[in-house]
Each structure stands twice: as structure tokens, then as C-alpha cells.
Amino acid sequence: MTQELRTEPSLATTYFGDRLADAVERKRSQLVVGLDPQVDLLPIELRGDVHLGREHAAEAFGRFCRGVIDAVAPYVVAVKPQSAFFEELGADGVRALEDVCAYARQAGLLVILDAKRGDIGSTSRAYASAFLEGTAEPSVRDRGPGEGVGGNREVPPGGARPPLADALTVNPYLGRDAIEPMLAACKREGAGIFCVVKTSNAGSVEVQDAILTDGKPLWQHVARLVREWGEDIVGARGLSSVGAVIGATHPRAVGEARRLLPQSILLLPGVGAQGATPADVARAFTSGPASALVTVSRALIYAFRVDGGEWRAAAGAEAARLRGEVWTVSGW
Amino acid sequence: MTQELRTEPSLATTYFGDRLADAVERKRSQLVVGLDPQVDLLPIELRGDVHLGREHAAEAFGRFCRGVIDAVAPYVVAVKPQSAFFEELGADGVRALEDVCAYARQAGLLVILDAKRGDIGSTSRAYASAFLEGTAEPSVRDRGPGEGVGGNREVPPGGARPPLADALTVNPYLGRDAIEPMLAACKREGAGIFCVVKTSNAGSVEVQDAILTDGKPLWQHVARLVREWGEDIVGARGLSSVGAVIGATHPRAVGEARRLLPQSILLLPGVGAQGATPADVARAFTSGPASALVTVSRALIYAFRVDGGEWRAAAGAEAARLRGEVWTVSGW
């Protein structure tokens, strides 16, 4: 596998866990900023034309996200755009998402696309291609033998595209079939995935806490599957490319997930607007400084609404503060 | 609720189950065609420019889907576009998806968008807005009090947009929080949802068949949740707006799902390319002629690759044949 990757110098040549570990140690940060643009929460100065239609709102989303990226880049290792807010604006929103992802990568940040996709077969392959694979022409790769159109497999005039994102959140309900094409992208292109295991919402109990015959909740069974899925995609730093989303609002679950998933990177939402504190997630970091990431979205990008001041400066200050707080509780 | 709906004559005024029942009885069809466009499976005549880039591939997807819609419209009640294949082409693909959905609705077909979304809070609201709500300006609706920007709530110059789709597939892993905004769209706008319960893939056993303390598989617990979520959104014809996706590849599960979900419309993929036959799903129809829908995708839209002949004619013939076969086994 390593040899195969080395033959593609234009793509990522190292596993996701190693890329993340480098970034975490270089920046001394385990903070991820969630990009959740919403029209009615934007700074006044960006709202001017949004009532004229979706393309104007999408333009405002782009300006807002780029401004946040500029402000927080020194303090965070990754951005986590929430796909839904861009999709709400249709094709214009998706164009803005593409631009924002490219901008973040140019700023030296990893991009974790929060889209929680999960489907099967060729559909799952399409999602892997859409989000995690840099490719010349995404629709003509990885079909079965004999299905291809030979003449279309070359690089188009525009040249190759990089992947939209470095990592993707995925949903486990459909089983390994839904994850398999993403695992291939993890191996081939250095991508990462974060599987939803135990979410931060109160209603997560309805399905995720259903008790199995071993007396344990379903989410712990899913955690064991995540461990299996990722156990042969572990980088030199000991971190698997298959991580898990664990709501920081359930501190005991964070500790249990760490025990069940010793090599997975835990992505921890829920700090800030949802009520969890950095201290609630301290135990997530016992597998290394890059073994967990704290994601903060609204409380950071809309900090100006609470703290006042210029919106970029407020976001930057909040990122700097949280970066330090998380680093301290992580114990590294 | 009925009164509230009547005050919005430009939007749907009847529950999804009633709209579907009308269409099923009028067309004597319980067939849904899945729109799964893939570049390397398209008819040769549409592939000419696809190697020039995504916008050309998206244009080809649009031409292909419109041709299929024209051919099958007399024989099917709905189209089910698979979002992933459009998303694979980025913003260009999403624009094509928007065009295809509008075209299908103009052809008198219901649109069931297969996107299997599932997230929480404001993210879930954004997905409901993106796919199920016809609105003036989607991003400024349904925020909490005090969060809005009053001046932006009016209809923009372009006027109101209809919803992208009539119904959406959703994922239950995050619990009712992930479904709540969609339920609101079901009540307010006559939308429908189909919750993934037991999928057609072999790997569905990994999570969906985990055995709970009552000795039953998880998917039956999820089916009971689906019943609860939909029990107060039942139309005059006795069908709930909250349906379930049950793989036709598991005939016994189809019967069990029918028993657990007497008022839900069962969406049944897996006939054709995945190996199930119409006879495998006969028992799904015992709650009425519109109480189940058989979705056929590749075996129908790419029928020309097996049967030869002009691609539109082949799709139309296959739709006509399957329509009759399903209607017969349904016993209505």
C-alpha cells in the first residue's frame, strides 16, 4: 500500500492520522472550528444582498467563512463545514462549499466535511468520490471491469481536482457496505472518516442507547465495528484513519469510547452552545495529543454576537482562548 | 392543522399519503423509478462531451433523466433521484438535480429524493428546508425568536420556490431529533419521509440486526419508533406521511415490517439488479394499494444495455412491464 501511494506524488502520501498528528503538534492545537453559516446569524455587513436570492446568500456564506478561516487559522488544525447549511442554498450553496473547502486547504488547514453520509454499493462509491477522492473525472473511476468507457478515463483538459475534503463524517446504520468505499479512500488517498457513534443530542438515546443482549448500549457495539473497520489503516503515529464522533455532552461515554477505540481519533462536538466544557473531554486525549479533536461551531464563529467587537477578531480571540484551554486539559 | 394548510393555497394542501394514494389509483401503478445516473452507463449518444468536465457530465445527466422521465411517466407514480450521483459532480450536479426534480414534477410525478439524511438541531432544520420546504428564502425561516432579521423574511423578487422534493429518505440513527423538522414539513407542506429501517444490502445485519434484550433485532425497534413518529400525520386514506425503507431482498422482513407499521408506506428497493422479484414484496400491500412502492433503478433506466433498442423505448417498455407485474402481485 505504501508503495502504491508513493507512485501518486500529487495525492496525499501519508495516512490521515499522521497528517493530523503533525498538524496538532506543530500548532499545539486540538481545536476544530465548525463552519455553520446561517443567514440570520451573519454579521450585519454581510447581510446586505442576501434577500435578493440564493446566489447572494451563498456569496455571503463564502465571505463569512473565508473571514473566519483567516482569523482562526493560527489556532485550529481543521475546519468542519456543515454541509446542510450550504445545501440549503442549492447548487449556489454547494459552489460556495467547494470554494470554502479549497480556501481552508490553501490556508494550511485540514477539512473535515460534516455530511454524515451513509448508503450502499455504487451510491456509497459516489459519496466517497464526491468528497474524499481527488480525481480527473470522478464518475468514470472504480466501476467494475467492462463497464468503463475507455476513452473517458484520461485527465480532462482542466487537469486533476484535489479531494473536496480530507475527512468525512459517516453514518453506520447501513453497516460496513456504507463505509467500504471510504475505507478505500483512506488507504489510497490518505483520507479519514469519522463515524457517528454517540451523538450529542438528548434524543441520541432512542436508537444509540438501545440495550443489546450483552447488556451494553448499541453505540458500544458500533464502536467495536468502527475499531474493526479501521484496524488495518493505522499510521506511524498509532492513529487509525477511522475515527468516531462522540458527543462531549456525555462525558462518561467519552471515557468509555476511548477505552473501546484506543487507536481512533475522537471528534467531540457539543462544547460551547450545547453545554459541554473542555474539562468534560479531558480523558479523550489519553491515546496521544492528536487522539481527540474538540469541535466548536456557533460559540466560536458567532462569538461577536455575545462578546461584541469585530466579527473576525472575536472569532480569532475565542479560537485562541479555546485552543489554550483544550491543550491544557489534554495534558500534553 | 388542516385549517393552517388551507391558508397556504400555493403549497400542498393534502397529506403525502393521500396525494400518493390518488396517484397510485389513477395510474394503477405502485412503481417508482430510481434515477441513478452514472457516466459510464449512459447511452453512447449522451457521452460525447462528458470528458470535458463536470458541467458537461451534469448536462448529460439532465438529458438522460429527462428522457427517462418522458418514457416512464405513464407507468410510474414517482421518481427517486439518488442524490449521491448528482453530488459526485459537485455544484454542477446539484444544479442538474434541481432541474430534474422540477421536470419530474411538471410531468405529474412525485419526487422522492434519496439522500438518507440525518442530523440534529439546526442542521436537521437546514436539511428539511433544503429538500422539503417550498419557501421564499430558506435560511431565514424557523429560527428561534429573536434570532431573525425581520427585513429579510419577505418574499424575494424571484418569488417563492416550490419544494425540491415531495418526500425524502432519512436515517434514524440520531433519533427523533433528526426527524423532527421533517415531521413539521410533513404537517405543514404535505411532505413525506421514508425512514431507513432494514436495508437491502448483505451488510445490513451488522447494525440493523443487532439483537436487543427483547430478543428482536434493532430494526424492529426502529420500526416501532417510525410508527410513533408518524401516528399523528395520517391522511384520509389511512396512510401516514412517515414511511419506511425495507429491502425487498428480505421477504420475511417485508411481512414483519407490514405488521409493525400498518399505516406506513413501505418503500421497497432491491427488485431487479439486487435480485428480488415483485412476488417477494406481495405481502407489503395488505394495507391498501398505495401502502407500498416498488423502486427499480438500474434494471429499468439501463434496460437498453440488456435488452438493446433505443434507450428511452427500452426504459418505457420495462416500466410498463414492471407496473403490470407489481399491480398483479399487489392483489388490487
Side-chain angles (χ1 to χ4, degrees):
Chain A
M1 176 49 57
T2 307
Q3 196 168 25
E4 183 190 325
L5 286 168
R6 281 189 187 137
T7 64
E8 302 236 30
S10 68
L11 298 176
T13 54
T14 43
Y15 279 147
F16 179 75
D18 292 332
R19 294 161 63 201
L20 180 71
D22 286 347
V24 164
E25 290 169 22
R26 196 175 62 245
K27 288 190 163 174
R28 298 175 66 86
S29 173
Q30 302 116 330
L31 187 63
V32 173
V33 60
L35 300 176
D36 291 14
Q38 295 182 248
V39 164
D40 48 357
L41 299 179
L42 293 181
I44 289 283
E45 69 186 81
L46 298 182
R47 285 190 207 150
D49 292 332
V50 295
H51 64 288
L52 294 176
R54 287 174 154 197
E55 66 274 36
H56 297 276
E59 166 68 21
F61 280 14
R63 287 176 62 197
F64 178 63
C65 292
R66 290 192 299 272
V68 169
I69 289 166
D70 289 341
V72 306
Y75 314 114
V76 307
V77 287
V79 295
K80 182 179 74 68
Q82 172 48 257
S83 185
F85 295 114
F86 296 91
E87 291 182 67
E88 193 177 6
L89 299 179
D92 294 312
V94 173
R95 184 80 68 202
L97 173 64
E98 291 168 351
D99 294 344
V100 166
C101 289
Y103 191 86
R105 293 172 64 128
Q106 283 164 15
L109 300 176
L110 293 166
V111 175
I112 301 168
L113 183 65
D114 197 356
K116 299 193 175 67
R117 296 299 194 263
D119 212 312
I120 59 177
S122 58
T123 305
S124 185
R125 287 204 300 277
Y127 280 135
S129 166
F131 302 129
L132 294 179
E133 297 181 4
T135 165
E137 186 65 3
S139 297
V140 293
R141 279 178 43 159
D142 291 302
R143 307 309 177 195
E147 290 183 328
V149 186
N152 290 339
R153 285 182 183 270
E154 282 120 50
V155 177
R161 265 186 311 105
L164 184 70
D166 297 286
L168 178 71
T169 58
V170 299
N171 184 304
Y173 189 72
L174 279 70
R176 187 188 173 107
D177 300 348
I179 313 294
E180 196 72 52
M182 283 73 170
L183 298 180
C186 290
K187 290 174 183 171
R188 273 203 314 254
E189 314 217 17
I193 59 175
F194 291 93
C195 185
V196 170
V197 173
K198 173 65 177 165
T199 51
S200 57
N201 56 311
S204 70
V205 298
E206 282 187 291
V207 176
Q208 296 160 28
D209 284 8
I211 303 299
L212 305 190
T213 49
D214 64 359
K216 308 282 191 188
L218 174 71
W219 73 261
Q220 295 190 14
H221 170 65
V222 172
R224 285 186 289 269
L225 293 174
V226 167
R227 181 173 178 168
E228 282 175 33
W229 296 337
E231 66 192 356
D232 63 341
I233 322 175
V234 176
R237 314 291 277 274
L239 295 172
S240 170
S241 301
V242 182
V245 179
I246 308 286
T249 48
H250 313 290
R252 274 195 302 185
V254 171
E256 186 62 23
R258 180 73 292 160
R259 195 181 65 75
L260 292 168
L261 291 161
Q263 296 188 299
S264 284
I265 301 158
L266 304 184
L267 188 67
L268 306 164
V271 170
Q274 293 179 64
T277 67
D280 289 327
V281 299
R283 70 189 89 183
F285 292 94
T286 51
S287 292
S291 65
L293 297 170
V294 171
T295 84
V296 183
S297 304
R298 282 166 287 171
L300 197 161
I301 65 175
Y302 301 121
F304 73 96
R305 295 174 67 89
V306 177
D307 303 338
E310 201 274 336
W311 57 277
R312 281 163 289 224
E318 185 65 1
R321 187 185 72 75
L322 283 166
R323 185 262 297 253
E325 199 175 337
V326 172
W327 188 264
T328 300
V329 301
S330 81
W332 296 90
Chain B
M1 180 48 59
T2 307
Q3 195 168 27
E4 183 189 325
L5 287 168
R6 282 188 187 135
T7 64
E8 302 237 29
S10 68
L11 297 177
T13 53
T14 43
Y15 280 147
F16 179 76
D18 292 331
R19 294 162 63 201
L20 180 71
D22 286 347
V24 165
E25 290 169 22
R26 194 173 64 245
K27 290 192 162 173
R28 298 175 65 84
S29 174
Q30 302 115 332
L31 188 63
V32 173
V33 59
L35 300 176
D36 291 14
Q38 295 182 250
V39 164
D40 48 357
L41 299 179
L42 293 181
I44 289 282
E45 69 184 82
L46 298 182
R47 286 190 206 149
D49 292 333
V50 296
H51 64 287
L52 294 177
R54 288 175 153 196
E55 66 275 35
H56 297 275
E59 166 68 20
F61 279 15
R63 287 176 63 198
F64 178 64
C65 292
R66 290 192 299 271
V68 169
I69 289 166
D70 289 342
V72 306
Y75 314 114
V76 307
V77 288
V79 295
K80 182 178 73 67
Q82 172 48 256
S83 184
F85 295 114
F86 296 91
E87 291 181 67
E88 193 178 5
L89 298 179
D92 294 311
V94 173
R95 185 79 69 201
L97 174 64
E98 292 168 350
D99 294 344
V100 166
C101 290
Y103 191 85
R105 293 173 65 129
Q106 284 165 14
L109 300 176
L110 293 166
V111 175
I112 301 169
L113 183 66
D114 197 355
K116 299 195 174 67
R117 296 298 195 263
D119 213 312
I120 58 176
S122 58
T123 305
S124 185
R125 288 205 298 279
Y127 280 135
S129 165
F131 302 129
L132 295 178
E133 296 180 5
T135 165
E137 186 66 3
S139 297
V140 292
R141 280 179 43 158
D142 291 301
R143 307 304 178 200
E147 291 183 328
V149 187
N152 290 339
R153 286 182 183 269
E154 282 121 50
V155 177
R161 262 186 314 104
L164 184 70
D166 297 286
L168 178 71
T169 58
V170 299
N171 185 305
Y173 190 72
L174 279 69
R176 186 187 174 106
D177 299 348
I179 313 294
E180 197 73 51
M182 284 72 171
L183 298 179
C186 290
K187 291 175 182 169
R188 274 202 314 252
E189 315 216 17
I193 58 174
F194 291 93
C195 184
V196 170
V197 173
K198 173 65 178 164
T199 51
S200 57
N201 57 311
S204 70
V205 298
E206 282 185 293
V207 176
Q208 296 161 29
D209 285 8
I211 304 299
L212 306 192
T213 49
D214 63 0
K216 310 281 192 191
L218 173 72
W219 73 262
Q220 295 190 14
H221 169 66
V222 172
R224 285 187 287 271
L225 293 175
V226 168
R227 182 174 179 167
E228 282 175 32
W229 295 337
E231 66 191 357
D232 64 340
I233 323 176
V234 176
R237 314 291 276 277
L239 295 172
S240 170
S241 301
V242 182
V245 178
I246 307 287
T249 47
H250 313 290
R252 275 197 300 188
V254 171
E256 186 62 23
R258 179 74 291 160
R259 194 181 68 73
L260 292 168
L261 292 162
Q263 296 188 299
S264 283
I265 302 159
L266 304 184
L267 188 68
L268 306 164
V271 170
Q274 291 180 65
T277 67
D280 289 329
V281 299
R283 70 190 87 184
F285 293 94
T286 52
S287 292
S291 65
L293 297 170
V294 171
T295 83
V296 183
S297 304
R298 283 166 288 169
L300 197 161
I301 64 175
Y302 301 121
F304 73 97
R305 296 174 67 89
V306 176
D307 304 338
E310 201 275 335
W311 57 278
R312 282 163 289 223
E318 185 65 2
R321 187 184 73 75
L322 283 166
R323 184 264 295 253
E325 198 176 337
V326 172
W327 188 264
T328 300
V329 302
S330 82
W332 295 91

